[in-house]
Amino acid sequence: MIPRSSRLVLALVLWPGAHFHPAQSQEQSAAQTPPDQSTYLFHTDTRVVLTDVTVTNANGDPVHGLPQSVFHIFDNKEPQVLASFEEHSRIRAVPMQSASTDGVYSNDYLLHLPAVLNIVLIDIVNIDMPDQMYLNYELTRFLNEQPEGQPIAIFLRAGSGVFLVQNFTSDRKLLLDAVHKAIPRFPPHGREYLTDFDTLHQMVFSLKQLPGRKNVLWFSGGSTRFLIMDAIPVENDAAWRDLYDQLDQERIAVYPIDARGLIFPDTTVAEQHMAMDSVAQGTGGQAFYSSNGLQEITEHLLESDDSFYTLTYSPRNLRFDNKWHQVRIAVDGASYRLSYRSGYFADGSVREGDQTTRPRTRLLANGEKLEVSELRDRPIIFRASVLPASDPAVANLDRTSGSLPLPEPKKGSVRFLIHYMVPIDALTMRTVDGQHKVMWGIAAIGLNGDGSTVEHKAYQLTMTLPKDVLDRSPELPVTMDQQIDLPKDDRFLHLGVWDAVSGRFGTIDIPLEVPPPDKGQGATSQN
């Protein structure tokens, strides 16, 4: 969603509290857990292996109703005892509309996500223009013929970054508009140096806030490892090992799909398809290539990807010796096709499940000790109004708790006002000298169509909240106004909010159409 340079900007301001989470009751935490999302408890004194298994018949249709007794799991050929078993059958999708209306955006969709999430990733790094046009045609057919109800998000890899084009929605018109906005477009310059590793790593970063299983339908022109002719791809096994652990921890299954369709299988193409198979096998997905039926592949995956079984077990006599453990799963009965992650490295990494809270003391910069709770990352749910500063609707926004200094006008840019609205209970309130204070931060990162940063502003704030206002209106949000100048064209805005004490944060990604500036003027100002 954001390229490395932009992620670094955000990471630097988030880092001081990145390992701490706000004090909050278990009841409050449970209220923010999306419905229909299974949770699992894990303990850090052992390795708990969780694997999602898709079982299909000879026709590729999911197999339902299998009992636990027919599943057998082997770790380095040693039979294991299942600690838990759960079948996920296809559940009727609940229509899910876009979270934004009239310039107001929110990440509150995180509170009502379906049990399984489907993400379409269009990676044009290695797709030439004719193949992009065919992919556009096939995805348009799919969306026109599919009934509304299945929420989908669309991401684009067009250069150095992976970014959101359309958030999760069931609105087929919005999804069609997103596909047509994403492609066709010219592939980026220097694409031979843009790697599959970077693409997957950025998808991990983009999907970290989302619970449950995530299926990524990755449309590409095959692996980029072989774009440099006569070059030997340099693979960092340790880095890929860590990446697969991250994908596994976030329960991301990758389905690489070759958007070039049926092509001549020369040596390079064969190697690309082997790399696609490797990613699919490493994440529990499936690779698709040598087929012109992109619509049918997409339809099949979205109809069957939320039908699977979840198994967990603790390997016997496990030693954290950094060695590869092969996982094999067998099912009694008919000849089924199984998709699951093929193994893991015993490197001490443990999946972090939802843990019960336990108090922890943090020493602040001024020597103050603050007790917070260790919780699984729970995003801050907030809203933001994003409007051109010259828009008359700006005058109707709620009164703000504060505003930031105006940036210097930039010629050829349009000034936007960002009005943040953050629930007060999402921030850690401290009492200092009898005054109620919160320390929090905001960041706005503007991206162009290639995913490169065109503007970024980040601030860390300390605010004093009047006691009489808190007593009178405890539900009022903390608000803040920020202004940012963006060049004309379709842009993508990444907003972040974080609590500087707990490290808890939330993000919103906004596809934004920037109108042309007034002739002869730079960015407009808002006083």
Side-chain angles (χ1 to χ4, degrees), residues 42-100:
F42 302 97
H43 303 281
T44 57
D45 57 351
T46 187
R47 173 74 187 239
V48 176
V49 179
L50 182 151
T51 183
D52 292 325
V53 186
T54 302
V55 184
T56 54
N57 59 23
N59 296 323
D61 300 320
V63 177
H64 301 287
L66 295 175
Q68 177 176 338
S69 59
V70 304
F71 284 83
H72 306 281
I73 193 163
F74 301 86
D75 189 301
N76 278 352
K77 300 183 179 180
E78 292 290 330
Q80 303 294 320
V81 177
L82 291 181
S84 67
F85 172 87
E86 182 178 1
E87 179 184 1
H88 306 266
S89 297
R90 182 162 178 78
I91 303 172
R92 182 178 176 83
V94 178
M96 181 177 172
Q97 301 306 317
S98 176
S100 60

Side-chain angles (χ1 to χ4, degrees), residues 279-298:
V279 169
Q281 187 178 32
T283 62
Q286 183 180 353
F288 295 86
Y289 42 77
S290 300
S291 171
N292 290 328
L294 303 182
Q295 176 198 5
E296 290 75 17
I297 292 172
T298 306

Side-chain angles (χ1 to χ4, degrees), residues 212-272:
R213 177 180 168 95
K214 279 82 71 176
N215 300 313
V216 176
L217 283 63
W218 181 12
F219 290 93
S220 73
S223 172
T224 60
R225 297 183 198 176
F226 311 98
L227 283 181
I228 303 177
M229 298 303 295
D230 302 323
I232 300 175
V234 177
E235 293 294 322
N236 185 327
D237 289 340
W240 274 95
R241 175 195 312 166
D242 179 67
L243 175 60
Y244 280 135
D245 277 344
Q246 292 181 53
L247 288 162
D248 177 55
Q249 181 165 324
E250 299 302 327
R251 296 182 70 189
I252 298 173
V254 181
Y255 293 81
I257 304 170
D258 193 337
R260 297 171 296 181
L262 188 60
I263 56 176
F264 181 75
D266 60 18
T267 302
T268 299
V269 170
E271 290 175 332
Q272 288 180 321

